[in-house]
């Protein structure tokens, strides 16, 4: 079909042209490590019984999340999902608050009212996801509508999984965005599985991005384990939207490298598939690229990894010090007050 | 002051807010060129342009979800459902997203969804419902059900100003039938404050929306019996004015709860239960409910008449209470 398949990014020079200097690249690497580290540490805390409820990770999707978030402008907004920890990390959410959220503590972004990745810092331009997928897509389109009405050069980014793409919300969101050429970019985290359901039972076409044509905008498929390729495609799409060129559907192809959540051993995923995709681990890929193309030294590598380790240790310590929420806070904020409208977006 | 229909009052309130506050915009099906299925937004697109009076595709999910996103970005959307019945297609965006976002994520969602609701003209099962009770069960939402032109304007302006998601149920049977004086200036009518439609001493009717007028007609028939009826118009069912209801019940000691929606699990049950809990000692008769029977809304006139509570039903209920 007509959808474009993105080229990988090659040399340091090409990357510079795409807008990233060496500092940015090291920052991306660091964000990738933090993203994976937060989820690995979270998993340990979960097994230690410190995290109630369930636990989800985005292992395998780190490059896709970090790549897109790196391409967003400071005033852009987004609605990341349960595989997109990298978006929160890249936008600057402090890891200790993420751990506090995981553990249901009073200092988590939702103050214990919601769990796992159901959180966001609105000051960083992120909106907290709901469980119902992909209900945040129409909301992202609404953000873009506000930008369009006010003629602001801002873009909204909406994420969805290839499974949730089967729901009507995805259709209504993309159709409205297409009809009104709104400044929104749709990112499909295509990790090949929706819980235990494979892609051919979710959609009958080759690429999900093929659907873009039906809504009158462009679709592109990108290797979601290549952080630089994701960055470049997201950047193109975001800048196009900003300039009035309308939406783009960017499909990031990955494999969900663990079960749907920690209770699921993913017995239904062929072992060879895991083996094949393990060779394309997004962190390892980018690390080798940095060594080959950007002269990443052993010392630098150690310094970054050590820094991330210290950050996470400190984050867990601080989160663990945060109190459990006061039961009396249950009824707080069911209704907003006029003062609540003094948020960054409500002017 | 000028005499206005209920529909004109809604239209005026909305237009005035759009003139006053450029964050307010309208989105819905056929709201632009056509002026909305009931013409509430007639002429709006000429005045405010295509980007403030937005003709949406047939997409209730995207209309309400989109309104939510725009509201979080600082706008004050007023979304129109062509008929209240179609709000079921936007359920998730009200109940799952908008209602819970402030509580869990600290992000207020100041949207208004206008819902032309109610029966009385053979709209059938899908163009006649009164779905306020569905939503009155959802913490985080507000449900407004004006009965008079004056309230229709004042409550709409309050709804637009309110920092929460507000469902504004406008009863279709009142649109052109009900006319009354409406102040010309801008004013707000607080959400959660009931209004005494009629003062009386012997029996209280607690109701809202079009049933206010059914109760009023019934009360006139009881004049001859020497029974004086008090009618409390709730105006909003979420939040609802418990204090005003209890005060009236304490005065009359007899109460009829009346609504056009079906009986089981209808909002009247909540009111009756609250009266039983908090004013049991003041009652001289069991709380009575009159509501539609538990069926979908029918199409054919005799069936619809059997469905919607009629003046005669209310007269009979009031007599039973008076004689108890
Ligand atoms: C509307 C809805 N139905 C069911 C679920 C339960 N559920 C959670 S995640 C999931 C699979 C989602 O698959 P996909 O969209 O591909 O995202 P992924 O989890 O693979 O990233 C399901 C069925 C849900 N969250 N929302
Ligand atoms: Mg998936």
């Amino acid at each position: 079909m007509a959808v474009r398949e993105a080229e990988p990014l090659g040399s340091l020079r090409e990357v510079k042209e795409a807008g990233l200097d060496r500092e940015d690249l090291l920052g991306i690497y660091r964000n990738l490590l933090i993203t994976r580290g937060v989820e690995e540490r979270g998993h340990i805390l979960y097994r230690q019984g410190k995290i109630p409820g369930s636990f989800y990770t985005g292992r395998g999707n780190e490059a896709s999340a970090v790549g897109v978030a790196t391409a967003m402008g400071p005033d852009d907004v987004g609605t990341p999902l349960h595989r997109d920890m990298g978006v929160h990390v890249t936008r600057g959410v402090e890891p200790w608050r993420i751990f506090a959220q995981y553990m249901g503590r009073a200092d988590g972004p939702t103050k214990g009212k919601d769990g796992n990745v159901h959180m966001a810092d609105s000051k960083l331009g992120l909106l907290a996801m709901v469980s119902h997928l992909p209900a945040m897509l129409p909301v992202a389109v609404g953000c873009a509508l506000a930008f369009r009405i006010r003629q602001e050069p801002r873009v909204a980014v909406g994420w969805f999984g290839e499974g949730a793409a089967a729901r009507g919300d995805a259709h209504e969101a993309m159709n409205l965005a297409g009809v009104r050429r709104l400044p929104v970019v749709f990112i499909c985290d295509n990790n090949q599985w929706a819980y235990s359901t494979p892609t051919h039972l979710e959609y009958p076409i080759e690429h999900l991005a093929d659907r873009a044509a039906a809504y009158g905008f462009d679709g592109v498929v990108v290797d979601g384990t290549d952080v630089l390729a994701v960055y470049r495609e997201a950047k193109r799409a975001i800048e196009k939207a900003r300039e009035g060129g309308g939406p783009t559907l960017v499909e990031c192809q990955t494999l969900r490298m663990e079960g749907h959540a920690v209770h699921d051993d993913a017995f239904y995923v062929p072992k060879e598939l895991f083996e094949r995709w393990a060779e394309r681990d997004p962190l390892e890929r980018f690390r080798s690229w940095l060594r080959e193309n950007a002269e990443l030294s052993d010392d630098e590598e150690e310094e970054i990894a050590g820094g991330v380790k210290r950050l996470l240790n400190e984050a867990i310590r601080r989160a663990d010090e945060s109190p459990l929420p006061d039961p009396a806070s249950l009824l707080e904020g069911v209704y907003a007050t006029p003062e609540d409208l003094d948020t960054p977006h409500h002017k | 002051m000028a005499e206005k229909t209920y529909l004109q009052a809604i239209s005026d309130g909305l237009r005035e807010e759009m003139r006053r506050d450029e964050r307010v915009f309208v989105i819905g099906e056929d709201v632009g060129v056509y002026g909305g299925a009931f013409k509430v937004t007639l002429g709006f697109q000429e005045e405010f342009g295509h980007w403030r009076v937005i003709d949406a595709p047939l997409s209730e999910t995207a209309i309400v979800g989109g309104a939510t996103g725009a509201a979080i970005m600082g706008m004050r959307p007023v979304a129109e459902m062509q008929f209240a019945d179609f709000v079921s297609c936007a359920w998730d965006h009200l109940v799952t997203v908008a209602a819970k976002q402030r509580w869990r994520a600290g992000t207020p969602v100041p949207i208004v969804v206008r819902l032309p609701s109610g029966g009385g003209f053979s709209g059938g099962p899908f163009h006649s419902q009164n779905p306020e009770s569905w939503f009155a069960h959802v913490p985080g939402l507000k449900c407004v059900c004006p009965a008079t032109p004056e309230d229709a304007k004042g409550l709409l302006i309050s709804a637009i100003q309110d920092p929460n998601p507000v469902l504004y149920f406008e009863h279709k049977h009142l649109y052109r039938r009900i006319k009354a004086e409406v102040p010309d200036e801008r004013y707000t009518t607080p959400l959660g404050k009931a209004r005494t439609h009629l003062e009386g001493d012997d029996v209280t009717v607690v109701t809202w929306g079009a049933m206010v007028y059914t109760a009023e007609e019934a009360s006139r028939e009881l004049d001859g019996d020497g029974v004086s009826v008090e009618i409390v118009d709730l105006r909003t069912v979420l939040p609802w004015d418990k204090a005003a209801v209890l005060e009236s019940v304490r005065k009359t000691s007899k109460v009829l709860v009346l609504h056009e929606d079906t009986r089981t699990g209808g909002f009247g049950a909540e009111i009756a239960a609250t009266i039983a809990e908090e004013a049991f000692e003041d009652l001289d008769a069991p709380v009575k409910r009159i509501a539609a029977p538990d069926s979908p809304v029918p199409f054919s006139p005799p069936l619809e008449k059997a469905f919607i509570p009629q003046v005669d039903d209310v007269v009979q209920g009031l007599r039973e209470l008076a004689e108890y």
Side-chain angles (χ1 to χ4, degrees):
Chain A
M1 273 233 190
V3 66
R4 184 168 61 82
E5 301 206 23
E7 296 280 313
L9 259 189
S11 64
L12 189 61
R13 191 178 52 76
E14 276 181 273
V15 173
K16 279 211 173 107
E17 279 164 18
L20 298 172
D21 60 24
R22 193 166 182 281
E23 268 314 291
D24 298 327
L25 293 167
L26 296 185
I28 289 173
Y29 183 57
R30 189 165 174 276
N31 286 336
L32 290 169
L33 291 186
I34 296 172
T35 301
R36 180 163 294 174
V38 162
E39 295 189 330
E40 282 180 348
R41 296 296 193 89
H43 198 165
I44 294 169
L45 291 170
Y46 182 80
R47 283 195 306 241
Q48 291 172 339
K50 291 197 163 176
I51 294 178
S54 186
F55 191 71
Y56 298 78
T57 76
R59 196 178 182 92
N61 198 57
E62 296 92 341
S64 169
V66 170
V68 174
T70 306
M72 290 168 68
D75 292 331
D76 296 342
V77 301
T79 59
L81 299 182
H82 52 301
R83 312 293 180 202
D84 303 314
M85 178 55 69
V87 176
H88 298 276
V89 168
T90 304
R91 296 291 290 189
V93 180
E94 294 172 276
W96 78 274
R97 299 203 71 210
I98 301 169
F99 289 118
Q101 163 83 1
Y102 281 166
M103 295 193 281
R105 303 302 177 88
D107 294 303
T110 68
K111 303 180 177 152
K113 285 172 173 156
D114 204 345
N116 57 66
V117 205
H118 291 190
M119 54 166 206
D121 187 338
S122 64
K123 288 187 220 61
L124 302 174
L126 299 179
L127 278 67
M129 67 175 285
V130 296
S131 272
H132 299 45
L133 300 168
M136 297 311 286
L137 285 188
V139 178
V141 168
C143 296
L145 182 63
F147 302 154
R148 176 62 188 80
I149 293 171
R150 298 195 298 244
Q151 311 251 35
E152 292 170 356
R154 297 168 71 185
V155 176
V157 181
W159 277 263
F160 66 111
E162 86 294 340
R167 275 199 72 241
D169 282 37
H171 166 70
E172 290 198 19
M174 290 188 201
N175 188 59
L176 175 58
V179 165
R180 293 277 169 176
R181 291 185 78 72
L182 297 177
V184 57
V185 173
F186 298 102
I187 305 288
C188 178
D189 288 333
N190 189 342
N191 59 11
Q192 307 185 50
W193 299 86
Y195 211 145
S196 72
T197 307
T199 52
H200 70 272
L201 297 180
E202 296 283 5
Y203 56 91
I205 49 177
E206 190 185 356
H207 294 301
L208 237 158
D210 289 337
R211 283 195 197 168
Y215 301 115
F217 49 81
D218 289 337
V220 58
V221 175
V222 61
D223 177 350
T225 68
D226 179 345
V227 70
L228 296 177
V230 170
Y231 166 81
R232 186 190 52 196
E233 293 310 319
K235 185 92 182 158
R236 262 189 200 160
I238 289 169
E239 295 317 319
K240 178 178 174 181
R242 202 185 309 287
E243 282 151 25
T248 305
L249 199 176
V250 181
E251 175 182 347
C252 300
Q253 295 178 324
T254 59
L255 179 66
R256 193 192 69 206
M257 295 303 285
E258 294 176 333
H260 171 63
V262 290
H263 64 271
D264 170 25
D265 67 3
F267 66 89
Y268 46 82
V269 178
K271 236 178 126 234
E272 313 78 69
L273 200 59
F274 278 132
E275 284 162 9
R276 207 160 359 111
W277 282 78
E279 287 162 22
R280 293 162 67 177
D281 178 68
L283 273 62
E284 185 49 33
R285 271 191 82 170
F286 191 49
R287 196 185 67 87
S288 346
W289 186 91
L290 285 172
R291 291 190 75 97
E292 279 164 34
N293 294 279
E295 293 160 3
L296 177 70
S297 67
D298 290 346
D299 283 354
E300 271 177 320
E301 227 187 278
E302 247 167 60
E303 195 192 314
I304 294 173
V308 169
K309 196 171 168 192
R310 281 191 299 280
L311 174 76
L312 297 179
N313 287 343
E314 171 58 19
I316 290 175
R317 190 194 60 71
R318 190 164 170 198
D320 210 12
E321 277 175 15
S322 171
L324 285 162
D326 180 351
S329 68
L330 174 65
L331 289 176
E332 276 170 18
V334 173
Y335 288 97
T337 61
E339 298 76 60
D340 287 337
L341 293 175
D342 293 332
T343 64
H345 305 299
H346 292 281
K347 359 185 166 146
Chain B
M1 290 273 228
E3 187 160 89
K4 298 247 166 79
T5 63
Y6 180 88
L7 188 143
Q8 282 165 338
I10 297 170
S11 187
D12 286 356
L14 185 53
R15 194 185 302 99
E16 280 170 33
E17 278 315 272
M18 289 183 72
R19 284 180 185 159
R20 200 185 66 87
D21 182 350
E22 61 172 21
R23 300 169 306 177
V24 181
F25 74 97
V26 167
I27 182 166
E29 291 153 23
D30 309 296
V31 294
V33 174
Y34 196 73
F38 296 97
K39 306 288 183 195
V40 170
T41 53
L42 190 65
F44 278 42
Q45 201 168 60
E46 283 90 329
E47 178 169 353
F48 300 107
H50 285 82
W51 285 103
R52 283 185 75 202
V53 184
I54 300 177
D55 275 320
L58 198 164
S59 293
E60 284 75 13
T61 295
I63 290 168
V64 177
T68 297
I72 294 173
M73 292 300 112
M75 301 298 284
R76 292 290 182 278
V78 178
E80 177 177 303
M81 297 288 100
Q82 200 152 70
F83 285 81
D85 310 69
F86 300 123
V87 74
S88 54
C89 301
W91 178 264
D92 241 359
H93 281 275
L94 289 165
V95 172
T96 304
V97 185
K100 298 175 178 46
Q101 208 70 0
R102 165 64 188 89
W103 179 78
R104 33 171 230 119
T107 323
V109 180
I111 61 173
V112 175
V113 182
R114 290 185 33 244
L115 301 130
S117 56
F121 19 62
S122 287
F126 311 115
H127 292 77
S128 308
Q129 295 175 90
N130 291 279
E132 65 269 15
S133 299
W134 302 350
F135 296 99
H137 190 58
V138 182
L141 298 179
K142 294 191 177 182
C143 298
V144 177
C145 307
T148 68
E150 182 172 344
D151 280 359
K153 178 173 161 184
L155 290 169
L156 181 62
I157 294 176
S158 291
I160 294 171
Q161 277 207 327
D162 197 277
N164 294 285
V166 181
L167 284 81
Y168 179 93
F169 296 89
E170 41 194 68
H171 201 291
K172 303 193 292 288
H173 205 35
L174 305 181
Y175 270 156
R176 294 183 169 83
R177 187 166 62 101
I178 299 300
K179 261 193 181 167
E181 297 284 305
V182 176
D184 296 323
E185 72 278 7
R186 178 180 187 274
Y187 59 93
T188 57
T189 306
L191 308 186
K193 278 261 165 281
R195 178 184 71 93
T196 306
H197 185 74
L198 192 68
E199 270 192 59
D201 298 313
D202 301 329
V203 189
T204 297
V205 181
V206 180
T207 192
W208 58 91
M211 285 293 118
V212 167
Y213 300 96
T214 306
E216 184 185 325
E217 273 186 61
S219 76
R220 268 188 237 123
E221 294 205 20
L222 267 87
D223 281 348
D225 308 14
V227 177
S228 130
V229 177
E230 174 144 303
I231 300 174
V232 178
D233 168 11
L234 278 188
R235 283 174 162 159
T236 67
V237 298
L238 184 65
W240 68 283
D241 194 345
K242 219 157 84 167
V245 169
L246 292 174
E247 193 188 313
S248 177
V249 170
R250 290 193 173 114
K251 177 168 84 172
T252 63
S253 306
K254 290 179 177 178
V255 59
L256 170 67
V257 182
L258 169 67
H259 58 65
E260 186 179 315
D261 185 19
T262 52
R263 181 181 177 92
T264 303
F267 198 71
E270 175 65 28
I271 297 168
T274 303
I275 294 169
E277 273 179 344
E278 300 193 24
F280 183 78
E281 302 291 336
D282 298 290
L283 289 175
D284 285 339
V287 177
K288 195 174 202 45
R289 275 186 293 163
I290 293 183
D294 292 323
S295 77
V297 190
F299 162 70
S300 183
L303 292 178
E304 192 179 33
K305 195 157 168 266
F307 177 86
I308 296 178
Q310 302 293 310
V311 173
D312 288 349
D313 303 326
V314 179
V315 167
Q316 198 193 324
L318 286 172
R319 287 208 169 115
E320 282 168 20
L321 276 176
E323 285 158 16
Y324 188 90

